[in-house]
Structures are given as structure tokens and as C-alpha cells.
Amino acid sequence: MNKVIYEDDFDLSEINSLEELQNMAGNCARCGLRGGCSGVVFGEGNPEARLMLIGEGPGADEDRLGRPFVGKAGQLLDKILAAVGLERFKHVFIANVVKCRPPGNRAPRPNEAESCLPWLYRQIELISPRIIVLLGGTALQNLVEPDARITIMRGKWLVSKSGIKIMPTYHPAALLRDTSKKRPVWEDFQKVRDEYLKL
């Protein structure tokens, strides 16, 4: 029987493969989200990708299929990637701030994100991307600054302490609600592509 992961025994530093990390994540019970979803949506893509995309959390389609960004927003994201010459499974690894679907597709609460972020941090360490694209305000606020605003920060390069270049941009779901955001995101991904080609 698999061991359930709770707060008091949570140390991922000894995990040295994405496969092992994914297996462990499937048994996580650090917040209440796991009880209300079908399963953990760990992430997918090239485990050696130099580019990582980080969104908010799984939606209904993602929860049902166990894969990130497979609904309408994900289909739009695939088109954006293709338009700049990048392929989802070749050039990219995609993950989310939380790995379980919040009820009604709401944004994850701060305590839920805090409980789940160690999984994401270890993913980042194991993948070692050179560029991270933060898709939307939730990713920006949880990985950069709690008070950051995507409307102000999008399109501006940031650099992590470990030297990873970070580009915040709008979440693809925001583009479906407001088509005026499509052009800024297109411009942001062109910058990402140009930086990627320098690697």
C-alpha cells in the first residue's frame, strides 16, 4: 500500500526522478483538494525541456484526463506554441501551481498553493529549464511576488536566483474571455521563442 504524504513527513530533496516524484504526488493529502478531484495532474512534456510553462491548476477536462492544458485553453496554448515554432512534447514541459482541480475551477487558495508548491519546485529542479513562462496571475503571484499583477508584469523578463529567465503572460483562458489579450500574448511568446533560440 502506498504511503500517504502529509505535512509532517514532507521532504522531496531525495527524489531524483520525475517518475518517482509523480508516483509520490499521486498519494499527496497535504490539502483538501485531493478529496474533491479525480486524480493528480502532475504535468507532462519533455523531461529535459529548456522551456517550462506553469499555469494555475487543472480544470474539468484536465482532471478527467489526468493531463494539463487539454481543454479549450490548452488547445489555444498548443496553437500559440505552434505559431512560434515550438512543439508541446518536444520543446516544453507543462505543469501547474496546484496539481488537483479546485472545486468549480476556482483559483487555488493560498494555503492550497503553499501545500502544493514543493512538488512544483522539485519538478523545476529536476527539469532544470532555462526559461519559465508563467501563465496568468496565480502562477505569477505564487512563484514571484504575492502582490504582483499580471497586467503590469506581463511581457517583462525576470530572472530567478538560480538564473532562470521568467516571462509572465496572460493565461490562455483569459484570451478566450477577452480577445484583446491575444496580441500581447503573441508578442510575449515571440520574445520567448527568440530567447529560446539563443540557448
Side-chain angles (χ1 to χ4, degrees):
M1 186 168 176
N2 289 328
K3 181 181 177 185
V4 176
I5 307 299
Y6 292 103
E7 192 74 35
D8 58 351
D9 58 2
F10 197 62
D11 179 11
L12 301 176
S13 62
E14 301 298 318
I15 307 303
N16 294 312
S17 76
L18 283 177
E19 183 179 5
E20 187 180 357
L21 190 69
Q22 183 170 2
N23 289 338
M24 280 188 70
N27 299 309
C28 183
R30 285 169 49 83
C31 77
L33 291 180
R34 182 66 183 90
C37 67
S38 299
V40 172
V41 180
F42 181 74
E44 69 179 18
N46 182 349
E48 298 177 357
R50 292 176 290 173
L51 173 60
M52 192 167 177
L53 308 184
I54 299 173
E56 178 177 293
D61 292 324
E62 290 78 11
D63 183 48
R64 182 171 49 84
L65 297 173
R67 298 178 53 214
F69 284 91
V70 291
K72 289 181 180 178
Q75 292 164 22
L76 177 56
L77 179 61
D78 287 346
K79 290 177 183 176
I80 294 167
L81 288 170
V84 295
L86 298 171
E87 295 177 39
R88 180 179 183 127
F89 289 97
K90 182 177 180 182
H91 302 109
V92 176
F93 192 95
I94 303 176
N96 283 301
V97 170
V98 295
K99 306 208 174 301
C100 294
R101 180 191 179 203
N105 289 359
R106 65 163 169 75
R109 294 181 177 131
N111 66 309
E112 293 163 346
E114 184 179 345
S115 293
C116 205
L117 279 172
W119 297 109
L120 178 60
Y121 292 150
R122 191 64 184 142
Q123 277 181 304
I124 294 170
E125 290 168 355
L126 291 170
I127 294 165
S128 297
R130 303 282 296 280
I131 301 170
I132 292 177
V133 177
L134 300 177
L135 300 168
T138 297
L140 174 65
Q141 290 162 4
N142 280 284
L143 278 94
V144 175
E145 168 60 49
D147 296 324
R149 294 290 169 258
I150 193 70
T151 51
I152 296 170
M153 299 296 292
R154 67 133 289 271
K156 298 175 182 175
W157 283 111
L158 309 170
V159 181
S160 75
K161 291 178 184 176
S162 60
I164 301 171
K165 290 201 156 193
I166 300 170
M167 171 64 70
T169 193
Y170 294 121
H171 193 287
L175 278 60
L176 296 173
R177 295 188 297 267
D178 180 359
T179 57
S180 71
K181 290 183 168 66
K182 286 186 176 182
R183 182 159 199 81
V185 170
W186 167 244
E187 292 169 356
D188 295 345
F189 269 91
Q190 285 180 306
K191 291 179 189 175
V192 170
R193 184 265 323 275
D194 292 348
E195 197 64 34
Y196 182 88
L197 292 174
K198 295 177 188 176
L199 298 176

